Amino acid sequence: MTKTSAYTRRDFLRSTTAAATVAATSAPLLSAAGAVSSVVVVRDQKAMTGGNKVDAAIVEKMVAETVMRVTGEKSTKSAWLSLFKPTDIVGLVPTPHLNPTHDEVVAAVRQQLVEAGIPESNIRNAQGGTEVVKQCTALISLPGLKAHWLTGIGTVLKNYILFSGRARDYHYADSAKLGEIWNLPHVKGKTRLVLVDALRPLCDKGPQPDPRYMWPYKGLIAGKDPVAVERVGLEIITKKRDALRGEPWPLSPPPLCVEAADKDYHLGVSDLKRIKVETVGWSDELFL
Amino acid sequence: MNLPKQVGQWRLTEGPQRIDATTIFDYMNGGGELYLGFRFRYLDVYDFQGTDDTRILVEVYQMETSDDAFGLLSLDRDGEKVSFGPAGEGIYGAGLLRLWSGDTYARILAEQETPESREVVMTLAESVCRGRRHPAPPAFLGCLPPELDGYRLDPDRVSYFRSYLVLNSIFFLSNENILMLGLNTEAITASYSRGHSVERKRPRLIEVRYESESSALAAYQSFLRTYLPESNRDEVSGETSIGLQNMKIGAGETEDGWVGHTLAGRTLVLAFECPSESLARGWVNTAVRHLMSWEESHD
């Protein structure tokens, strides 16, 4: 019989077997010899209280630390100004609901942009349709870290799904093609920073909140490479799942969009061995 | 649905907000596909606010049939099992109660889990269930054999569904609908395990019941063409569907073990992650015998 163009479990298993063979001969993640992308993970044990309330002052410091580490600048102001000009129209793209990006994270970014000299009137909420993003000259992607029942992971790459104007197509056979949205003319090249809210991620059954699978990781994950940031978030989710079950508990469906964003859409690096991860702060259950 | 206006310190501040198939994506983005993958009618959302500024969210999903409501609960059974007598049953964990009561499925979520919020969640669940008739689980589940050569059916890993997206969230098969699932089919997947041993590979049965033998045959052909393209074309003849004696059971080796397959009337029977060809064929044979026995008693 002739095989169709569908991507099957067998195709996936063949690709992961090949990847595992390559990984077995590579350097471990944190040393990342020959790395070509960098990701920063900043955590603070005091970022949330026992009742999952966010400490805004701590989060503000974490955001400042994160942007300085990502840019290599010595001050918060110079860090933001190395990414944006005062003339830029900066679109913030948070997750609006269903495990939304915490308001405190968005507020800290907005405040620090203003303090750095970006006029408040130039800062927009660009999440939603295509109109606002078309007006923006620069974007900051600010998704919440979560697994997604349709795409495996529903964080960085999926955060721009509404910019496509045809979100539902990506729920079906096109779910691996989320990366193509980042190459649309009104989106391409605008994202200067990806900053993932990993204060309280969701490792299964997203996007609807399910507290059985949410935990206080109390972290921010950031970088300039969206695929590398997504890949590091995916690693954290995967390790948390295995820890919860006490045995391998792979995401289903597999997050095909991550490797496709690298190999098919050339948005960044999906191979963990080529990502240098810098970790700062609280190290319990780091999962990296 | 008559939910109380006040329970403990939580007061109903909003709702019900009626969500239907045309507005569900506005409410929950891609999460809506889960409910549209079953026979969904509408959703009512109730928001309770506590004096301590915490929230309890009640989502009541009205489905076309009790089987559909059961299917939603069956997708994840991790947690504490809760009975509401003859009116319903649920699974509770970390502040979230998921509930099946007749043709209703509900999620009752306390933002902060405390002994008090748990009590209120249960009180609200009793209100959802009150006066409802709670039928048995889908009859089709009766076709599952309780054991496959020493591997026992894990009742907490039995799921009922109609959509390939739902199947993929349990067991990724393909990014396309190669089993031709839809709202007019009913499907089950079940895992089998041996004792308490931690095994990476657990045999899995998938059985799909189609509206007609012709649609079942078309789905079988689609599966073989896509998933086992090296399989023998003879295995996909219409004759396979007539009785156990004439039925042919096929098997193919894949990257995660052997896959056994056959068509029995309008039911497609598949066994995945089997350790050998003989077990793949044997387990499908066992499943078909059990299916036919169930069909006789069911009819």
Side-chain angles (χ1 to χ4, degrees), chain B residues 11 18 28 31 38 67 89 91 94 114 136 206 249 275-276 278 287:
Chain B
R11 189 170 63 84
R18 176 65 56 94
M28 64 172 81
F38 290 90
D67 288 357
E89 61 189 76
I91 296 167
T114 62
I206 296 177
I249 295 173
S276 68
S278 62

Side-chain angles (χ1 to χ4, degrees), chain A residues 1-14 17 50-53 95-98 148-150 158 162 168 171-176 200 204-213 245-254 256, chain B residues 25-31 33-36 59 61 75-76 78 93-96 98 107 109 112 157 164-166 168-176 178 198-200 202 224-231 233 236 253-256 273:
Chain A
M1 286 192 180
T2 308
K3 190 182 184 305
T4 68
S5 61
Y7 186 90
T8 69
R9 178 181 196 82
R10 297 187 64 188
D11 297 319
F12 173 68
L13 291 169
R14 277 193 288 264
T17 302
N52 297 320
K53 299 286 185 196
T95 303
H97 64 293
L98 295 174
H148 197 289
W149 84 284
L150 288 170
K158 203 166 194 300
L162 294 177
R168 206 172 171 193
H171 297 168
Y172 300 102
D174 283 354
S175 63
R200 193 174 176 230
D204 196 50
K205 300 283 180 291
Q208 283 192 289
D210 188 329
R212 291 174 300 169
Y213 306 117
R245 283 270 170 98
E247 61 179 326
W249 183 23
L251 283 163
S252 191
L256 305 174
Chain B
F25 293 111
D26 297 331
Y27 178 68
M28 64 172 81
N29 300 339
E33 297 285 6
L34 173 63
Y35 302 98
L36 298 184
E59 296 175 328
Y61 297 81
L75 302 182
D76 182 354
D78 286 350
L96 174 66
R98 300 165 55 249
R107 293 176 96 249
L109 173 62
Q112 299 289 335
R157 297 283 180 267
Y164 83 102
L165 296 177
V166 175
N168 282 342
S169 75
I170 304 164
F171 182 79
F172 175 68
L173 190 65
S174 172
N175 66 336
E176 294 185 8
I178 64 173
V198 177
E199 293 171 289
R200 283 291 305 274
R202 297 184 178 114
L224 290 179
R225 188 169 56 244
T226 310
Y227 204 77
L228 296 170
E230 60 277 79
S231 61
R233 197 177 287 269
V236 202
E253 188 171 19
T254 70
E255 289 68 16
D256 59 351
E273 302 195 1

Side-chain angles (χ1 to χ4, degrees), chain A:
Chain A
M1 286 192 180
T2 308
K3 190 182 184 305
T4 68
S5 61
Y7 186 90
T8 69
R9 178 181 196 82
R10 297 187 64 188
D11 297 319
F12 173 68
L13 291 169
R14 277 193 288 264
S15 69
T16 51
T17 302
T21 304
V22 172
T25 59
S26 302
L29 171 64
L30 289 171
S31 70
V36 297
S37 275
S38 298
V39 172
V40 173
V41 178
V42 174
R43 300 173 74 208
D44 192 315
Q45 193 174 7
K46 296 175 182 168
M48 300 178 83
T49 65
N52 297 320
K53 299 286 185 196
V54 175
D55 186 321
I58 299 280
V59 164
E60 198 177 317
K61 287 180 190 165
M62 290 170 68
V63 169
E65 179 78 34
T66 302
V67 74
M68 286 192 288
R69 297 268 180 177
V70 167
T71 59
E73 296 288 332
K74 300 286 187 214
S75 73
T76 313
K77 181 175 180 177
S78 60
W80 287 110
L81 288 178
S82 73
L83 296 169
F84 305 100
K85 303 188 298 285
T87 53
D88 272 324
I89 305 295
V90 182
L92 308 184
V93 194
T95 303
H97 64 293
L98 295 174
N99 307 293
T101 309
H102 288 88
D103 291 341
E104 293 85 351
V105 174
V106 181
V109 169
R110 183 181 285 272
Q111 180 189 325
Q112 289 175 25
L113 282 169
V114 171
E115 287 171 356
I118 310 297
E120 190 150 14
S121 59
N122 283 11
I123 303 171
R124 314 277 165 82
N125 180 355
Q127 184 56 282
T130 57
E131 288 311 305
V132 178
V133 69
K134 284 178 179 171
Q135 297 162 12
C136 294
T137 59
L139 296 172
I140 305 176
S141 182
L142 292 164
L145 179 60
K146 61 171 172 276
H148 197 289
W149 84 284
L150 288 170
T151 52
I153 188 166
T155 305
V156 179
L157 295 164
K158 203 166 194 300
N159 194 37
Y160 286 178
I161 193 169
L162 294 177
F163 294 166
S164 69
R166 52 181 193 95
R168 206 172 171 193
D169 289 355
Y170 295 99
H171 297 168
Y172 300 102
D174 283 354
S175 63
K177 300 179 181 174
L178 287 165
E180 70 184 9
I181 301 167
W182 290 62
N183 285 334
L184 292 172
H186 55 284
V187 181
K188 188 172 183 176
K190 289 183 178 178
T191 304
R192 312 267 177 87
L193 178 67
V194 177
L195 196 161
V196 172
D197 175 349
L199 293 173
R200 193 174 176 230
L202 172 66
C203 71
D204 196 50
K205 300 283 180 291
Q208 283 192 289
D210 188 329
R212 291 174 300 169
Y213 306 117
M214 299 169 81
W215 84 106
Y217 187 73
K218 302 178 183 177
L220 299 175
I221 309 167
K224 296 178 183 177
D225 175 342
V227 185
V229 174
E230 183 91 302
R231 184 63 188 84
V232 171
L234 175 60
E235 184 70 4
I236 293 166
I237 283 180
T238 302
K239 293 266 179 69
K240 177 63 181 179
R241 290 168 63 87
D242 293 352
L244 274 177
R245 283 270 170 98
E247 61 179 326
W249 183 23
L251 283 163
S252 191
L256 305 174
C257 58
V258 182
E259 190 176 334
D262 176 351
K263 303 286 167 54
D264 298 341
Y265 303 110
H266 313 295
L267 297 174
V269 177
S270 63
D271 178 2
L272 269 179
K273 303 300 175 193
R274 295 171 57 220
I275 301 170
K276 180 177 183 297
V277 183
E278 181 183 7
T279 61
V280 180
W282 189 40
S283 60
D284 283 8
E285 294 197 314
L286 184 61
F287 296 129
L288 290 170

